[in-house]
Amino acid sequence: MKVNPQYSTKETLLELYNKPLLELVFEAATIHRQFHNPREVQMSSLLSIKTGGCPEDCGYCPQAARYHTDVEAHKLMTVDSVLEQARNAKANGSSRLCMGAAWREVRDNKDFDNVIEMVRGVNELDMEVCCTLGMMSEDQAKRLKNAGLFAYNHNLDTSADYYDDVISTRDYKDRLNTIDNARKAGISVCSGGIIGMGEAVEDRIGLLMSYMNMENPPESIPINALVAVEGTPMADQKPIEQWEMIRMVATTRIAFPESVVRLSAGRTKMNLEGQALCFMAGASSIFAGDKLLTTPNPEYNEDKEMFRILGLVPKEAFADGEQPISHTDPLIEARKEKERLREEELAAARMKAKPEGFQPRKVSTVE
Ligand code: SAM
Ligand code: DTB
Ligand code: SF4
């Protein structure tokens, strides 16, 4: 049951969202238990591989070049430093790494070649590797997939109706198109939204309806609360109440029983009890580490303590029924085969050169 047929219209979803809070949480918790292990919460790490200087005008985003925020622009990180950060994240319990770039779209250049290497390297660490790089073509998606990309994050953010109030440099169709390209390449889709941008409750439902109308809704739906950043047009937005986050998580959980609902940006403004209700209502992932892409997030130790108090355990990679992407790449395999043949030739030549009766010493090997 990818979508819940009981709540497949605007009206039924809106009614669900507005249910008495504890009834809503109970219904969500019931569905959650049927499809997921309620004690498991995935720790996922975010890494901003290319920061700031973005040409887009997303009203919420501190990385847009046109707004004057404290974000310092950085060019693309090196492959080695990304892999070092990935190993750190894994050592701290993360089973997924999401690499974000402040790009409008992917371009076929040296930077993209390097991202391909990053994806290959992180996949080899047996982590779920996710990227969020802006718009991309089907061919670019295929290259990412071949390198071992597990998921692509591309948020619709809000309803189609409210979208133009938030962003003017691209439209909803562009977003849907990229999601389609990820799908065509066989990449798992991560797509969700932000609440607290001044939208109406109907826009939150409109966002969910966009996913409801997809042939294949996202496997992963991040729910963010706006992090209002000084210098952006949304700097003065009043923070949402955590009850709204709980309602949004619960409604998403009920509407998309099989998807992973991610309690994403905005946790620094929530207390332990609020987050606990989100987990109860079906959130089964958080971003771990003291930084999201550019804004603060709770410290590792704080989250470890929260897991201890609530009896949660970190979820392993690929626990949601998806298979890891094989590390075997046809090019690497061909190179290995060439090396093996050469080794054989050398060994044969050595044997020829050895005196009669020579017995090689036995060496134990581990495959
Ligand atoms: N440039 C790419 C893109 O827009 O798809 C990838 C990076 S972008 C920062 C990834 C997502 O972060 C956005 O789609 C948005 O949903 C979320 N985001 C950005 N700024 C945010 C903020 N201030 N509060 C909450 N979420 C935010
Ligand atoms: C998502 O939905 N939230 C994450 C991730 N996908 C890429 C990003 C949150 C960014 C919050 C603002 C910042 O730190 O710059
Ligand atoms: Fe650029 Fe992405 Fe930020 Fe929009 S959300 S300004 S595309 S980095």
Side-chain angles (χ1 to χ4, degrees), residues 154-357:
H154 203 63
N155 293 342
L156 289 176
D157 285 333
T158 188
S159 67
D161 288 346
Y162 195 58
Y163 203 71
D164 294 349
D165 287 30
V166 179
I167 299 154
S168 77
T169 47
R170 56 163 189 262
D171 55 38
Y172 218 63
K173 267 234 194 79
D174 296 325
R175 274 328 244 189
L176 290 168
N177 212 9
T178 291
I179 294 175
D180 233 36
N181 291 338
R183 273 264 172 262
K184 285 191 204 139
I187 299 170
S188 177
V189 170
C190 172
S191 185
I194 310 178
I195 65 171
M197 300 191 293
E199 75 286 345
V201 167
E202 283 74 8
D203 295 308
R204 297 174 191 169
I205 300 304
L207 169 74
L208 297 184
M209 279 309 294
S210 301
Y211 296 131
M212 195 56 86
N213 290 331
M214 285 180 174
E215 202 177 303
N216 270 314
E219 284 78 10
S220 156
I221 309 184
I223 304 295
N224 299 273
L226 174 75
V227 182
V229 178
E230 204 51 55
T232 64
M234 295 193 183
D236 296 328
Q237 274 298 332
K238 196 168 140 263
I240 51 148
E241 296 267 355
Q242 47 183 359
W243 312 119
E244 295 182 72
M245 199 64 174
I246 298 162
R247 281 189 186 281
M248 190 64 186
V249 164
T251 308
T252 309
R253 159 46 62 243
I254 297 168
F256 304 95
E258 289 181 21
S259 306
V260 172
V261 180
R262 299 182 191 270
L263 176 57
S264 302
R267 286 195 304 119
T268 52
K269 288 267 188 316
M270 297 181 80
N271 57 25
L272 178 80
E273 294 83 343
Q275 293 181 64
L277 278 168
C278 286
F279 299 130
M280 187 80 195
S284 61
S285 157
I286 55 165
F287 285 119
D290 59 7
K291 206 154 128 204
L292 291 165
L293 289 172
T294 64
T295 63
N297 194 46
E299 305 266 344
Y300 271 120
N301 285 342
E302 246 178 272
D303 282 338
K304 284 206 173 122
E305 181 62 0
M306 174 171 79
F307 273 49
R308 192 191 65 74
I309 293 170
L310 301 179
L312 300 173
V313 290
K315 185 156 56 176
E316 301 279 315
F318 314 110
D320 289 295
E322 301 276 339
Q323 286 306 306
I325 291 147
S326 155
H327 301 166
T328 51
D329 173 302
L331 274 177
I332 295 175
E333 288 305 298
R335 205 182 307 139
K336 275 194 198 152
E337 178 65 7
K338 223 166 140 188
E339 276 162 17
R340 200 181 55 76
L341 289 173
R342 189 166 153 66
E343 283 294 320
E344 270 179 20
E345 274 171 30
L346 283 173
R350 262 187 247 119
M351 281 311 282
K352 258 195 196 159
K354 272 173 201 138
E356 284 288 309

Side-chain angles (χ1 to χ4, degrees), residues 102-117:
W103 288 335
R104 167 179 162 76
E105 75 239 308
V106 177
R107 301 238 169 98
D108 296 309
N109 56 17
K110 190 81 194 88
D111 274 358
F112 187 41
D113 296 343
N114 283 328
V115 172
I116 293 290
E117 286 316 308

